[in-house]
Short mmCIF file of all heavy atoms in Angstrom, two decimals:
data_model
loop_
_atom_site.label_atom_id
_atom_site.label_comp_id
_atom_site.label_asym_id
_atom_site.label_seq_id
_atom_site.Cartn_x
_atom_site.Cartn_y
_atom_site.Cartn_z
N ALA A 16 -39.41 -83.69 29.10
CA ALA A 16 -40.74 -83.66 28.49
C ALA A 16 -40.63 -83.68 26.97
O ALA A 16 -41.39 -84.39 26.29
CB ALA A 16 -41.49 -82.41 28.95
N THR A 17 -39.69 -82.91 26.44
CA THR A 17 -39.48 -82.89 24.99
C THR A 17 -39.04 -84.26 24.48
O THR A 17 -39.53 -84.74 23.45
CB THR A 17 -38.43 -81.83 24.62
OG1 THR A 17 -38.83 -80.57 25.17
CG2 THR A 17 -38.29 -81.71 23.12
N LEU A 18 -38.14 -84.89 25.21
CA LEU A 18 -37.67 -86.22 24.81
C LEU A 18 -38.79 -87.24 24.89
O LEU A 18 -38.89 -88.14 24.04
CB LEU A 18 -36.49 -86.64 25.69
CG LEU A 18 -35.22 -85.79 25.58
CD1 LEU A 18 -34.16 -86.27 26.55
CD2 LEU A 18 -34.68 -85.80 24.15
N GLY A 19 -39.63 -87.13 25.91
CA GLY A 19 -40.76 -88.04 26.01
C GLY A 19 -41.75 -87.84 24.88
O GLY A 19 -42.34 -88.80 24.36
N LEU A 20 -41.95 -86.59 24.48
CA LEU A 20 -42.87 -86.29 23.38
C LEU A 20 -42.34 -86.85 22.06
O LEU A 20 -43.10 -87.38 21.24
CB LEU A 20 -43.05 -84.77 23.27
CG LEU A 20 -44.14 -84.26 22.33
CD1 LEU A 20 -45.52 -84.70 22.84
CD2 LEU A 20 -44.08 -82.74 22.24
N VAL A 21 -41.03 -86.76 21.88
CA VAL A 21 -40.41 -87.26 20.65
C VAL A 21 -40.39 -88.78 20.64
O VAL A 21 -40.57 -89.42 19.59
CB VAL A 21 -38.98 -86.69 20.51
CG1 VAL A 21 -38.25 -87.35 19.35
CG2 VAL A 21 -39.03 -85.18 20.32
N GLY A 22 -40.16 -89.39 21.80
CA GLY A 22 -40.13 -90.84 21.90
C GLY A 22 -39.00 -91.46 21.12
O GLY A 22 -37.86 -91.00 21.16
N THR A 23 -39.33 -92.50 20.36
CA THR A 23 -38.31 -93.20 19.58
C THR A 23 -38.00 -92.50 18.26
O THR A 23 -37.17 -92.99 17.49
CB THR A 23 -38.76 -94.64 19.29
OG1 THR A 23 -40.03 -94.59 18.61
CG2 THR A 23 -38.90 -95.43 20.57
N ASN A 24 -38.65 -91.37 18.01
CA ASN A 24 -38.40 -90.63 16.76
C ASN A 24 -37.23 -89.67 16.86
O ASN A 24 -37.02 -88.85 15.98
CB ASN A 24 -39.65 -89.83 16.37
CG ASN A 24 -40.83 -90.73 16.05
OD1 ASN A 24 -40.67 -91.74 15.37
ND2 ASN A 24 -42.00 -90.36 16.55
N ILE A 25 -36.46 -89.77 17.93
CA ILE A 25 -35.39 -88.82 18.13
C ILE A 25 -34.33 -88.89 17.04
O ILE A 25 -33.61 -87.93 16.78
CB ILE A 25 -34.74 -89.03 19.52
CG1 ILE A 25 -33.81 -87.86 19.86
CG2 ILE A 25 -34.00 -90.37 19.58
CD1 ILE A 25 -33.35 -87.86 21.29
N ASP A 26 -34.24 -90.05 16.36
CA ASP A 26 -33.23 -90.20 15.31
C ASP A 26 -33.81 -90.00 13.92
O ASP A 26 -33.16 -90.33 12.91
CB ASP A 26 -32.57 -91.58 15.39
CG ASP A 26 -31.70 -91.71 16.63
OD1 ASP A 26 -31.17 -90.68 17.07
OD2 ASP A 26 -31.55 -92.84 17.16
N ARG A 27 -35.02 -89.44 13.84
CA ARG A 27 -35.60 -89.13 12.54
C ARG A 27 -34.92 -87.90 11.94
O ARG A 27 -34.23 -87.15 12.61
CB ARG A 27 -37.10 -88.87 12.68
CG ARG A 27 -37.90 -90.09 13.09
CD ARG A 27 -38.03 -91.08 11.93
NE ARG A 27 -38.83 -92.25 12.29
CZ ARG A 27 -40.14 -92.32 12.15
NH1 ARG A 27 -40.80 -91.28 11.68
NH2 ARG A 27 -40.79 -93.42 12.48
N LEU A 28 -35.17 -87.67 10.66
CA LEU A 28 -34.57 -86.54 9.93
C LEU A 28 -33.06 -86.58 10.06
O LEU A 28 -32.41 -85.67 10.57
CB LEU A 28 -35.12 -85.20 10.46
CG LEU A 28 -36.63 -85.00 10.36
CD1 LEU A 28 -37.03 -83.66 10.93
CD2 LEU A 28 -37.10 -85.12 8.91
N ARG A 29 -32.49 -87.66 9.52
CA ARG A 29 -31.05 -87.87 9.64
C ARG A 29 -30.27 -86.81 8.88
O ARG A 29 -30.70 -86.29 7.86
CB ARG A 29 -30.68 -89.25 9.09
CG ARG A 29 -31.38 -90.40 9.78
CD ARG A 29 -30.65 -90.82 11.05
NE ARG A 29 -31.34 -91.89 11.72
CZ ARG A 29 -31.17 -93.18 11.43
NH1 ARG A 29 -30.37 -93.53 10.45
NH2 ARG A 29 -31.82 -94.09 12.11
N THR A 30 -29.09 -86.51 9.40
CA THR A 30 -28.19 -85.57 8.74
C THR A 30 -27.46 -86.29 7.62
O THR A 30 -26.91 -87.37 7.82
CB THR A 30 -27.15 -85.03 9.74
OG1 THR A 30 -27.84 -84.49 10.86
CG2 THR A 30 -26.29 -83.96 9.10
N PRO A 31 -27.44 -85.70 6.40
CA PRO A 31 -26.71 -86.34 5.30
C PRO A 31 -25.24 -86.53 5.65
O PRO A 31 -24.64 -85.70 6.33
CB PRO A 31 -26.88 -85.34 4.14
CG PRO A 31 -28.08 -84.53 4.50
CD PRO A 31 -28.10 -84.46 5.99
N PHE A 32 -24.67 -87.62 5.18
CA PHE A 32 -23.25 -87.94 5.35
C PHE A 32 -22.88 -88.26 6.80
O PHE A 32 -21.71 -88.37 7.13
CB PHE A 32 -22.35 -86.80 4.85
CG PHE A 32 -22.68 -86.35 3.47
CD1 PHE A 32 -23.21 -85.08 3.24
CD2 PHE A 32 -22.49 -87.19 2.38
CE1 PHE A 32 -23.53 -84.66 1.97
CE2 PHE A 32 -22.81 -86.77 1.10
CZ PHE A 32 -23.33 -85.50 0.89
N VAL A 33 -23.87 -88.39 7.68
CA VAL A 33 -23.61 -88.81 9.05
C VAL A 33 -24.49 -90.02 9.33
O VAL A 33 -25.69 -89.95 9.14
CB VAL A 33 -23.92 -87.69 10.06
CG1 VAL A 33 -23.68 -88.18 11.48
CG2 VAL A 33 -23.08 -86.46 9.78
N LYS A 34 -23.88 -91.09 9.75
CA LYS A 34 -24.66 -92.31 9.95
C LYS A 34 -24.48 -92.83 11.38
O LYS A 34 -23.53 -92.51 12.08
CB LYS A 34 -24.22 -93.40 8.97
CG LYS A 34 -22.81 -93.90 9.20
CD LYS A 34 -22.47 -95.03 8.25
CE LYS A 34 -21.07 -95.60 8.53
NZ LYS A 34 -20.73 -96.70 7.63
N VAL A 35 -25.45 -93.67 11.79
CA VAL A 35 -25.41 -94.26 13.12
C VAL A 35 -24.60 -95.53 13.06
O VAL A 35 -24.69 -96.31 12.14
CB VAL A 35 -26.84 -94.58 13.62
CG1 VAL A 35 -26.77 -95.26 14.98
CG2 VAL A 35 -27.67 -93.34 13.70
N ARG A 36 -23.79 -95.70 14.12
CA ARG A 36 -23.17 -97.00 14.33
C ARG A 36 -23.18 -97.25 15.83
O ARG A 36 -23.48 -96.35 16.61
CB ARG A 36 -21.73 -97.03 13.82
CG ARG A 36 -20.80 -96.11 14.59
CD ARG A 36 -19.36 -96.28 14.11
NE ARG A 36 -18.46 -95.37 14.80
CZ ARG A 36 -17.92 -95.60 15.96
NH1 ARG A 36 -18.20 -96.72 16.59
NH2 ARG A 36 -17.11 -94.71 16.53
N ALA A 37 -22.88 -98.41 16.22
CA ALA A 37 -22.85 -98.69 17.65
C ALA A 37 -21.71 -97.94 18.30
O ALA A 37 -20.59 -97.96 17.81
CB ALA A 37 -22.68 -100.20 17.88
N GLU A 38 -22.01 -97.29 19.43
CA GLU A 38 -20.94 -96.57 20.13
C GLU A 38 -19.92 -97.57 20.65
O GLU A 38 -20.26 -98.64 21.13
CB GLU A 38 -21.50 -95.76 21.29
CG GLU A 38 -20.42 -94.96 21.99
CD GLU A 38 -21.00 -94.13 23.11
OE1 GLU A 38 -22.21 -93.90 23.10
OE2 GLU A 38 -20.23 -93.73 23.98
N ILE A 39 -18.68 -97.22 20.54
CA ILE A 39 -17.63 -98.15 20.93
C ILE A 39 -17.64 -98.37 22.44
O ILE A 39 -17.72 -97.45 23.23
CB ILE A 39 -16.26 -97.60 20.49
CG1 ILE A 39 -16.25 -97.40 18.98
CG2 ILE A 39 -15.13 -98.51 20.91
CD1 ILE A 39 -16.54 -98.64 18.20
N ASP A 40 -17.56 -99.64 22.83
CA ASP A 40 -17.49 -99.99 24.23
C ASP A 40 -16.15 -99.52 24.80
O ASP A 40 -15.16 -99.46 24.08
CB ASP A 40 -17.63 -101.51 24.38
CG ASP A 40 -17.67 -101.95 25.83
OD1 ASP A 40 -18.72 -101.79 26.45
OD2 ASP A 40 -16.63 -102.44 26.32
N PRO A 41 -16.07 -99.18 26.07
CA PRO A 41 -14.81 -98.75 26.64
C PRO A 41 -13.67 -99.73 26.43
O PRO A 41 -12.51 -99.33 26.45
CB PRO A 41 -15.14 -98.59 28.13
CG PRO A 41 -16.60 -98.26 28.15
CD PRO A 41 -17.19 -99.03 27.02
N ASP A 42 -13.99 -101.01 26.29
CA ASP A 42 -12.93 -101.99 26.06
C ASP A 42 -12.56 -102.13 24.59
O ASP A 42 -11.67 -102.90 24.24
CB ASP A 42 -13.36 -103.36 26.61
CG ASP A 42 -13.53 -103.32 28.12
OD1 ASP A 42 -12.77 -102.59 28.78
OD2 ASP A 42 -14.43 -104.02 28.63
N SER A 43 -13.25 -101.42 23.72
CA SER A 43 -12.99 -101.53 22.29
C SER A 43 -11.64 -100.89 21.95
O SER A 43 -11.11 -100.07 22.68
CB SER A 43 -14.10 -100.83 21.51
OG SER A 43 -13.76 -100.74 20.16
N THR A 44 -11.11 -101.25 20.81
CA THR A 44 -9.83 -100.69 20.36
C THR A 44 -10.01 -99.74 19.19
O THR A 44 -9.03 -99.28 18.63
CB THR A 44 -8.87 -101.83 19.94
OG1 THR A 44 -9.49 -102.57 18.88
CG2 THR A 44 -8.57 -102.74 21.11
N THR A 45 -11.24 -99.44 18.82
CA THR A 45 -11.46 -98.65 17.61
C THR A 45 -11.92 -97.22 17.87
O THR A 45 -11.76 -96.37 17.00
CB THR A 45 -12.50 -99.35 16.71
OG1 THR A 45 -13.70 -99.54 17.46
CG2 THR A 45 -11.96 -100.68 16.22
N ALA A 46 -12.51 -96.91 19.03
CA ALA A 46 -12.94 -95.54 19.30
C ALA A 46 -11.72 -94.68 19.60
O ALA A 46 -10.85 -95.06 20.39
CB ALA A 46 -13.91 -95.52 20.48
N TRP A 47 -11.65 -93.49 18.99
CA TRP A 47 -10.48 -92.64 19.19
C TRP A 47 -10.32 -92.27 20.66
O TRP A 47 -9.19 -92.23 21.18
CB TRP A 47 -10.57 -91.39 18.34
CG TRP A 47 -11.61 -90.38 18.80
CD1 TRP A 47 -12.90 -90.26 18.39
CD2 TRP A 47 -11.41 -89.36 19.80
NE1 TRP A 47 -13.52 -89.25 19.07
CE2 TRP A 47 -12.63 -88.66 19.93
CE3 TRP A 47 -10.32 -88.97 20.58
CZ2 TRP A 47 -12.80 -87.60 20.82
CZ3 TRP A 47 -10.49 -87.91 21.47
CH2 TRP A 47 -11.71 -87.23 21.58
N SER A 48 -11.45 -92.00 21.34
CA SER A 48 -11.35 -91.60 22.73
C SER A 48 -10.87 -92.75 23.61
O SER A 48 -10.07 -92.54 24.54
CB SER A 48 -12.71 -91.10 23.23
OG SER A 48 -13.71 -92.07 23.00
#
């Protein structure tokens, strides 16, 4: 319910020095995991 209320605004109020990037696909060679 909370997530539905927030909708697409879930990524608002960004944390300084932390940015969004595309999550690495399992076949990628760059994600540490």
